[in-house]
Amino acid sequence: MSSSSYGLADLEYIAAGAAVMASGGGGSYRDAVSILQQLADSGWAGSVTVKPYDGDTAGCVVAMMGSPDAGDQLTLADIQNSVVNTLALLKSGTGYAAGCVIPIEIGAINSLVPLLAATLPSANLWVVDGDGAGRAVPELPQTTFAGASALPVSPCALATDVADMRTMESALLSSPTAAQMEKMAGGVLSGFGGFSGIALWPSNPGNACALTGAYIPGTLSQVRALGQFLLQASQTPSSDAVAEQIAYLTGRTASVSVRNFYITAISQSTTAASLDAGVIQLDNNPDPTQSTETHTIYNMNENLIMYSNQSALPDIIAPDSICYYSESTGRGFSNASDDLALYFDATSGKSTGQMVSVIQVSTVPALYNTPGVVASFATLLRSIGYAGAMPAL
């Protein structure tokens, strides 16, 4: 079983690579950069062990859940406290202390959450090289974990980020399905203020360590390599070069759908289930009145569908990924407000002049073939007005 030791530079690579691969979700890249600077400032100079699941260690999925804007300006302490609190609560519900953790999805924040948990000396954790989607997803049912019949979603622990557990708001939930758990957790998050830590899908001797075979392997090392490519480039890579690198690292088809456009309009609101629902407009001129081509992205935290005024059919439909990359900055980004601010000035309602590309990345076959995943994405797409056919693998 291959094992890697990730230091601070590796975490920086992961944040940069995941910011591209997350399809607009997974947490703010700007927050991730700030959090990693806080980790450096704390004096941490250690390493985290990352390897495939061994089929023996008690573990679980951990993440930050809820509205990216509600979680805006997250700190290192926020994440570490949330994870410590959720893992302690999950231990009380299962009787097993986690020895390893795995990201729920790919994202600048959610790829880092398990790694940041493992930087705590008291945690005694290692991190599984993988996740449940190969991208960021709006809800729990859009993961491979949800389709693994032997891996129970319950108990599920949610906890706020307070340092003193005596003042913690928390909930230990039980539900037979990921879809029902999503509804319950969404209600709890609303009570918490729209954002919290979450630990669920426990894998331990009680269920024969059922995480085995229930996740997409290698995705952390893939985004690490992509981030290294971006951060160590002698000059800003082109959008085509980034797409080629994604295809090389992941074995998935990747191509540039929109090259060097401008974000010219954004509308966004937070739903009762603590999801940020929004519409992003991209034009081939920073002044939309002078534009000759427009693409519109609809998202629920993550990008779900993109349309063009040049075609009667959608450009891209989830579960394929609709990934942001900017040749102006050499970085990816998310739909979180602080990330978008670099490309769109909400005060003036105009593009900042920074160019944006969109890279389509095909679905990981394991995700597409997981029972219920495509149907779950179809439900989300219908909720934002799309009633057409779902793409074939």
Side-chain angles (χ1 to χ4, degrees):
M1 179 180 292
S2 60
S3 176
S4 300
S5 294
Y6 285 2
L8 183 61
D10 299 291
L11 303 193
E12 291 169 347
Y13 296 152
I14 286 170
V20 176
M21 291 294 291
S23 193
S28 160
Y29 177 60
R30 295 184 72 177
D31 282 358
V33 171
S34 174
I35 287 163
L36 292 175
Q37 184 59 57
Q38 293 165 42
L39 182 63
D41 292 343
S42 75
W44 184 78
S47 64
V48 175
T49 297
V50 178
K51 60 183 181 180
Y53 187 54
D54 60 7
D56 183 61
T57 305
C60 66
V61 176
V62 294
M64 301 299 292
M65 185 178 184
S67 156
D69 287 338
D72 197 11
Q73 298 181 342
L74 275 173
T75 67
L76 176 63
D78 291 336
I79 291 176
Q80 290 179 329
N81 290 340
S82 293
V83 173
V84 166
N85 293 344
T86 55
L87 289 179
L89 187 60
L90 190 67
K91 179 183 176 183
S92 73
T94 63
Y96 294 95
C100 66
V101 284
I102 183 171
I104 193 168
E105 63 184 7
I106 292 300
I109 293 294
N110 270 337
S111 288
L112 287 180
V113 167
L115 295 157
L116 293 172
T119 65
L120 292 167
S122 59
N124 194 27
L125 294 168
W126 55 272
V127 178
V128 178
D129 184 4
D131 81 296
R135 53 163 288 162
V137 293
E139 297 177 336
L140 303 177
Q142 292 104 46
T143 65
T144 57
F145 306 126
S149 58
L151 184 66
V153 69
S154 301
C156 167
L158 295 103
T160 53
D161 57 9
V162 295
D164 184 349
M165 292 183 67
R166 293 173 300 180
T167 63
M168 176 179 73
E169 292 180 287
S170 66
L172 190 65
L173 306 178
S174 180
S175 175
T177 69
Q180 289 173 280
M181 186 64 77
E182 176 70 37
K183 292 178 182 178
M184 294 169 64
V188 171
L189 288 179
S190 296
F192 287 172
F195 213 78
S196 83
I198 184 169
L200 69 171
W201 280 301
S203 177
N204 53 52
N207 55 44
C209 295
L211 178 61
T212 303
Y215 70 98
I216 301 168
T219 54
L220 270 183
S221 53
Q222 290 168 8
V223 294
R224 182 209 166 277
L226 178 61
Q228 185 175 26
F229 168 78
L230 294 174
L231 296 185
Q232 291 191 345
S234 58
Q235 59 185 21
T236 302
S238 69
S239 303
D240 289 298
V242 174
E244 290 171 6
Q245 190 71 6
I246 291 170
Y248 168 73
L249 292 169
T250 67
R252 299 155 64 186
T253 302
S255 60
V256 180
S257 294
V258 170
R259 183 180 286 101
N260 295 333
F261 274 47
Y262 304 87
I263 296 179
T264 57
I266 295 175
S267 64
Q268 198 145 284
S269 61
T270 302
T271 71
S274 296
L275 293 172
D276 288 337
V279 181
I280 310 288
Q281 180 174 313
L282 300 102
D283 284 284
N284 63 357
N285 190 296
D287 179 356
T289 65
Q290 303 300 312
S291 174
T292 59
E293 185 176 344
T294 300
H295 296 260
T296 306
I297 297 172
Y298 292 80
N299 65 71
M300 293 185 72
N301 286 10
E302 287 72 35
N303 295 332
L304 293 179
I305 193 165
M306 184 170 79
Y307 290 98
S308 168
N309 67 349
Q310 307 290 301
S311 173
L313 300 174
D315 298 318
I316 312 171
I317 306 171
D320 280 2
S321 297
I322 304 169
C323 300
Y324 294 128
Y325 171 70
S326 171
E327 292 187 14
S328 294
T329 64
R331 301 291 182 268
F333 57 96
S334 75
N335 291 317
S337 295
D338 59 344
D339 274 6
L340 291 173
L342 193 58
Y343 307 95
F344 180 78
D345 184 341
T347 302
S348 67
K350 296 180 179 179
S351 166
T352 63
Q354 303 275 44
M355 295 180 295
V356 171
S357 295
V358 174
I359 299 173
Q360 177 178 1
V361 182
S362 63
T363 316
V364 178
L367 180 67
Y368 191 93
N369 293 325
T370 295
V373 165
V374 173
S376 183
F377 272 108
T379 298
L380 288 175
L381 288 161
R382 285 195 294 271
S383 75
I384 58 177
Y386 176 72
M390 295 297 290
L393 185 63

